Amino acid sequence: FRPWVWTLLAALGLLSVCRFGYCEASRTSSPTSGGRKEDHGPSSLERVKRGWVWNQFFVVEEYTGTEPLYVGKIHTDSDEGEGNIKYTISGEGAGSIFIIDELTGDIHATERLDREEKAFYTLRAQARNRLSDDPLEPESEFVIKVQDINDSEPKFLEGPYIGSVAELSPIGKARVISNTAIAVIHRLAVADLDRETQDRYELVVKATDMAGQMGGLSGSTTVTIVITDVNDNPPRFPQKMYQFSVSEGAAVGTPVGHVIATDADMGENTDMTYLIKDGGELFKVTTDVETQEAVVSIKKPLDFETRRTHNVVVEAVNKHVDPRFVDLGSFRDQTIVRVSVSDVDEPPTFKPPEGTIMEVQEDAKVGALVGVVSASDPDVKNKSVRFSIDRATDQEMIFYIDPDSGAITLGKNLDRETAGWHNITVKAVEADNQTMASHSPVSIRILDVNDNPPELATPYEASICEDAKPGQVIHTISVVDRDEPLAGHHFIFTLDPEASSNRRFTLGDVTDNTAGIRMEGAGFNRHEQNVYFLPILVVDSGPPSLSSTGTLTIHVCGCDTEGAIQSCNATAYVMSAALSPGALIALLVCMLILIVLVLLILTLKRHRKGQRIAEDEEDMRDNVIKYNDEGGGEQDTQAYDMSALRNLYEFPEAKSCDSGPDIRSLPQWIQANRLSVGGGRAGAEGAAATAAAVAADFSLFKGYIRKKVEQADADLSVPPYDSFQTYAFEGTSSPALSLSSIHTLSTTSEQDFSYLSDWGPRFRQLAGYYAPGKPEEEGS
């Protein structure tokens, strides 16, 4: 508000609504509860707050003057212009942006304000006594609002903008590009937009405020309209014919060439697939999903000699056809792929290529023709072919082949029962190029002829009871035949003519080429005859018919009342007659083995007995313990047990006991001496004599040891340190005879060494030395 507003308000008589004053009224009193009146004193006044005379102040933004901008004036009706009232303000911008004249209450703005930064300021006004600084009016709040001027141009906050529209879209189609600050709507003004011709458009959009009136501000931005693709272009081959060459020896699946159709569209609208419309018997086409190429490859083997050029029609078809544009034409295209087949040198080919099956009779003669294989050079030159058999498949060289004609003949006799099939491999090579080789399997079936007679399946034997009843089936026999006739086996069983006089048994066919043996007549007596041999003749169906004779052995046995066989023993005569030569040989071998075992046992016992006697006569002094290690003397006990030397001959010389010294602890020569001395005495006399004999013997032994020790001490060749030496003293005489065999012939021996001559040629010479001479030899 301007100052004249205040003057106008005062002129209208609004003094009763003072801005910052209180109106005085007469003192009033009001009744209280209980009929009492509240006494406020004689000077009590009732203050009434006056109403506001303004709502807010206004200030124009962007003021560019040099003087502070007048905003408004605050005033109280109690101000009589004497200068005793001070006006103050506080709040937003007080003292910095806004200042007040304390005397007049005029408010000025000292800074340039911007509504876009802050639209209003809230302040508080106060009127005080200048001298006492007491508030004259309550503090009141007021607002200073910044008035807007057109000082900001429109701005596009998110530019530049990108929009899109599909090609071939109809006229008037709208495209909206929106954000939080602006919405731009574009409408298509022309038809038949072609992305393939121009795929984008750049537009400049301008925004002006004040509805475009003069003095308004404006801003601009760039909008890019992208023309999106639709599938409006079919695939097209750049060429109507492509030519490729491939060798006739190329393997199935080998790529022949690559062709590709182009499509002016983009993205998935260019996806296409390829088909073969003609020539798909030998070739196939696949689509490379990465490059969108058509790969033409071999489907079946090619043959230069059969056909040298192939024309394959390849068609390209779009995968994603838009039905809106089907009227634009066919979305497919075709091209011709011409494949030229080049010639290569090929190995011979067999007819038939999968192999040959031949048949030959097993009785065919050596040199007979088995069959003929055929092979030829498939090349135009048609070179000659040579045949051979891979000997790894015919190591026995049963077959031969003519190298020129391919005729296979027999090299050895055949036997179907040994091998019914022969599988060989025939090799064909070009005559002038051995590297061009082919192989073909040939299976040769050996046809059967009846060359094996039927035979009994096993050496049949049967047992019957002595009281068997007539007509009883004793046994059922069957036969085997190694041949395999096409019509199957059929055998005839009859008794051999040699058994025609036998009235005891009959033979009859049963089923499945078997025959049953029946008993005829009364019972048997096994003591008279307990074994019957029944020859059986078997004849096959041929042709020609072959036969053989087998024997059924029938044993007559003793049975109990229920028919269970108890014993089939025969007499000694019958048994010996029934034994075969093989059984007799086995029995003799067993007896010979038993005799050899008995002789070996006796020899071992005799040998052990001689060893035991020798051990009993052995003197303990023969146990010589040697100590040859160069040790450190008697204190060195790590490598040798010294107790063996110390206790070797520690025998008790005398014991004061009734039984005398233990004879088991003395050497054998002492035991013998003791026994000879005390054998004829008894009691104390015998013991005393034994003690005296033992003392005498030990004194002799000690003297011997002492003499040996003195010799060792005087010997300069012994080591300079202590060493243990042992001495074996045999005594003055020995009851044992000489162990040498030199004087054996001159002495008489009770032992008979004649058995040495039975030990073989190696011991005969030794037996001649030890055996006693014969009278005639001694006389001579």
Side-chain angles (χ1 to χ4, degrees):
F1 291 101
R2 296 296 184 260
W4 59 268
V5 178
W6 299 100
T7 305
L8 179 62
L9 291 176
L12 291 176
L14 297 178
L15 297 177
S16 60
V17 189
C18 299
R19 177 62 188 87
F20 287 100
Y22 293 89
C23 297
E24 295 184 358
S26 61
R27 184 180 62 183
T28 59
S29 61
S30 60
T32 61
S33 60
R36 296 181 61 187
K37 295 182 179 179
E38 185 177 357
D39 187 6
H40 296 281
S43 61
S44 175
L45 297 178
E46 187 178 282
R47 302 177 66 85
V48 179
K49 186 176 183 181
R50 296 179 175 86
W52 300 108
V53 295
W54 79 89
N55 290 328
Q56 58 188 1
F57 294 112
F58 293 90
V59 61
V60 179
E61 69 169 336
E62 303 296 341
Y63 173 71
T64 58
T66 58
E67 298 295 331
L69 178 64
Y70 180 76
V71 177
K73 181 183 182 67
I74 60 175
H75 185 73
T76 177
D77 57 359
S78 61
D79 187 359
E80 297 179 354
E82 297 177 353
N84 55 355
I85 296 177
K86 180 177 68 174
Y87 296 97
T88 62
I89 59 174
S90 62
E92 295 178 336
S96 58
I97 300 176
F98 303 103
I99 60 176
I100 187 172
D101 188 336
E102 295 181 353
L103 183 61
T104 63
D106 294 332
I107 302 175
H108 292 81
T110 62
E111 294 182 5
R112 181 179 179 180
L113 301 180
D114 187 358
R115 189 197 64 81
E116 286 73 28
E117 294 182 0
K118 189 171 182 61
F120 62 89
Y121 297 86
T122 302
L123 296 94
R124 291 178 298 278
Q126 180 72 54
R128 295 178 177 272
N129 188 293
R130 181 175 296 278
L131 299 177
S132 63
D133 200 32
D134 294 331
L136 299 178
E137 300 291 344
E139 188 177 54
S140 178
E141 185 178 272
F142 66 97
V143 175
I144 298 176
K145 188 175 182 180
V146 181
Q147 288 184 329
D148 184 40
I149 64 173
N150 191 16
D151 61 342
S152 299
E153 70 278 3
K155 293 182 179 180
F156 295 90
L157 301 181
E158 297 182 0
Y161 299 90
I162 298 177
S164 63
V165 63
E167 62 176 330
L168 300 181
S169 295
I171 297 176
K173 183 176 180 179
R175 177 67 178 175
V176 179
I177 305 172
S178 62
N179 53 64
T180 58
I182 185 171
V184 181
I185 301 178
H186 300 280
R187 292 187 178 274
L188 189 62
V190 295
D192 300 330
L193 286 179
D194 188 8
R195 186 201 63 81
E196 289 74 30
T197 303
Q198 184 173 352
D199 61 351
R200 64 182 57 225
Y201 294 87
E202 301 288 341
L203 304 178
V204 178
V205 178
K206 181 179 180 181
T208 304
D209 59 8
M210 295 181 64
Q213 298 179 6
M214 184 175 293
L217 301 178
S218 64
S220 62
T221 187
T222 302
V223 178
T224 302
I225 306 298
V226 177
I227 309 302
T228 59
D229 184 60
V230 297
N231 192 7
D232 59 339
N233 292 281
R236 290 288 181 264
F237 284 102
Q239 301 175 213
K240 290 302 180 181
M241 179 178 289
Y242 296 86
Q243 292 188 355
F244 300 101
S245 177
V246 64
S247 170
E248 67 172 333
V252 173
T254 302
V256 175
H258 297 70
V259 296
I260 186 171
T262 60
D263 194 329
D265 296 321
M266 62 182 300
E268 67 175 9
N269 294 328
T270 62
D271 292 346
M272 63 187 73
T273 184
Y274 296 92
L275 306 172
I276 288 185
K277 302 298 292 184
D278 189 15
E281 300 84 8
L282 300 177
F283 300 91
K284 65 178 181 178
V285 64
T286 57
T287 304
D288 190 330
V289 295
E290 298 294 335
T291 62
Q292 292 295 308
E293 289 182 315
V295 181
V296 181
S297 56
I298 299 175
K299 184 178 179 180
K300 291 183 179 180
L302 304 177
D303 187 10
F304 171 82
E305 290 73 26
T306 303
R307 187 174 179 182
R308 303 183 181 184
T309 303
H310 301 269
N311 292 325
V312 182
V313 178
V314 179
E315 184 178 66
V317 182
N318 266 142
K319 284 186 178 180
H320 311 287
V321 177
D322 195 332
R324 297 175 299 172
F325 309 110
V326 293
D327 55 345
L328 297 179
S330 176
F331 283 83
R332 59 183 64 216
D333 193 21
Q334 293 182 352
T335 188
I336 298 175
V337 177
R338 176 166 293 178
V339 181
S340 300
V341 181
S342 60
D343 186 26
V344 296
D345 192 4
E346 299 175 272
T349 57
F350 284 90
K351 296 180 182 179
E354 63 275 4
T356 307
I357 298 178
M358 302 178 181
E359 294 181 349
V360 62
Q361 295 281 346
E362 67 172 321
D363 59 349
K365 303 299 182 182
V366 174
L369 177 65
V370 177
V372 179
V373 295
S374 176
S376 61
D377 183 11
D379 297 321
V380 177
K381 297 180 179 179
N382 193 16
K383 300 177 183 178
S384 59
V385 177
R386 295 291 181 266
F387 299 95
S388 62
I389 294 178
D390 185 358
R391 288 306 171 187
T393 61
D394 185 23
Q395 297 181 355
E396 298 180 1
M397 303 182 70
I398 300 176
F399 303 97
Y400 289 96
I401 188 170
D402 187 276
D404 297 321
S405 64
I408 299 176
T409 58
L410 281 179
K412 291 184 179 179
N413 292 324
L414 301 175
D415 184 11
R416 188 204 64 82
E417 288 71 32
T418 303
W421 285 85
H422 293 274
N423 298 314
I424 63 175
T425 300
V426 176
K427 180 180 179 181
V429 299
E430 292 182 2
D432 57 351
N433 188 359
Q434 298 294 323
T435 60
M436 293 290 103
S438 299
H439 298 80
S440 177
V442 177
S443 299
I444 302 174
R445 180 183 179 184
I446 311 303
L447 300 179
D448 183 45
V449 296
N450 192 25
D451 57 348
N452 292 280
E455 299 176 351
L456 293 181
T458 59
Y460 286 106
E461 292 187 3
S463 300
I464 60 174
C465 297
E466 288 182 296
D467 55 353
K469 296 180 180 180
Q472 180 180 352
V473 177
I474 300 173
H475 202 69
T476 301
I477 61 175
S478 61
V479 297
V480 293
D481 193 336
R482 298 177 62 191
D483 296 321
E484 291 183 0
L486 297 178
H489 290 291
H490 180 68
F491 303 107
I492 300 175
F493 299 87
T494 59
L495 291 177
D496 191 89
E498 298 178 359
S500 59
S501 60
N502 186 357
R503 305 295 181 182
R504 288 284 189 178
F505 306 99
T506 59
L507 180 65
D509 290 345
V510 184
T511 55
D512 298 331
N513 293 321
T514 60
I517 308 299
R518 296 180 180 271
M519 187 189 75
E520 301 292 340
F524 298 89
N525 186 353
R526 61 179 175 136
H527 297 290
E528 294 180 357
Q529 184 176 357
N530 70 331
V531 177
Y532 292 87
F533 299 99
L534 189 64
I536 300 174
L537 177 65
V538 184
V539 183
D540 61 15
S541 57
S545 297
L546 301 178
S547 62
S548 67
T549 301
T551 301
L552 173 64
T553 303
I554 302 174
H555 298 276
V556 181
C557 304
C559 304
D560 57 12
T561 55
E562 297 181 357
I565 296 176
Q566 298 294 324
S567 175
C568 295
N569 293 333
T571 60
Y573 175 78
V574 176
M575 284 290 293
S576 62
L579 288 177
S580 63
L584 291 175
I585 293 174
L587 182 60
L588 292 176
V589 170
C590 292
M591 294 177 64
L592 181 61
I593 292 174
L594 289 175
I595 293 172
V596 172
L597 289 175
V598 171
L599 291 177
L600 288 175
I601 292 172
L602 292 176
T603 304
L604 289 174
K605 286 185 176 181
R606 188 170 185 180
H607 181 67
R608 290 178 180 177
K609 183 177 180 182
Q611 288 182 347
R612 190 179 301 109
I613 295 173
E615 290 176 358
D616 293 341
E617 295 178 355
E618 183 181 4
D619 195 337
M620 288 184 62
R621 291 174 299 171
D622 294 339
N623 297 332
V624 179
I625 300 175
K626 297 182 179 180
Y627 183 75
N628 297 330
D629 295 338
E630 296 182 0
E634 185 175 358
Q635 299 301 324
D636 184 8
T637 59
Q638 298 298 323
Y640 188 79
D641 187 5
M642 302 301 296
S643 62
L645 293 176
R646 297 191 183 100
N647 301 329
L648 183 61
Y649 293 109
E650 290 182 359
F651 303 111
E653 296 184 2
K655 291 186 180 180
S656 57
C657 61
D658 296 337
S659 60
D662 188 1
I663 190 172
R664 292 174 297 177
S665 63
L666 300 177
Q668 295 180 3
W669 60 275
I670 298 179
Q671 297 178 25
N673 192 6
R674 176 181 177 181
L675 294 175
S676 63
V677 173
R681 302 180 184 179
E685 294 180 358
T690 300
V694 170
D697 292 335
F698 272 105
S699 62
L700 180 62
F701 183 74
K702 290 180 179 179
Y704 173 76
I705 293 298
R706 187 180 301 108
K707 182 179 180 181
K708 290 294 184 180
V709 171
E710 292 175 355
Q711 292 178 356
D713 291 341
D715 190 359
L716 299 178
S717 62
V718 298
Y721 45 82
D722 294 341
S723 63
F724 286 95
Q725 300 183 16
T726 59
Y727 306 98
F729 182 60
E730 297 183 358
T732 56
S733 61
S734 175
L737 299 177
S738 175
L739 300 179
S740 176
S741 61
I742 297 177
H743 301 290
T744 303
L745 296 178
S746 62
T747 59
T748 302
S749 176
E750 298 178 356
Q751 188 174 359
D752 185 9
F753 294 97
S754 60
Y755 66 88
L756 294 176
S757 59
D758 298 333
W759 287 10
R762 296 183 180 181
F763 295 92
R764 289 176 183 173
Q765 188 69 21
L766 186 62
Y769 291 146
Y770 285 90
K774 297 182 180 180
E776 58 273 11
E777 293 178 355
E778 293 177 357
S780 61

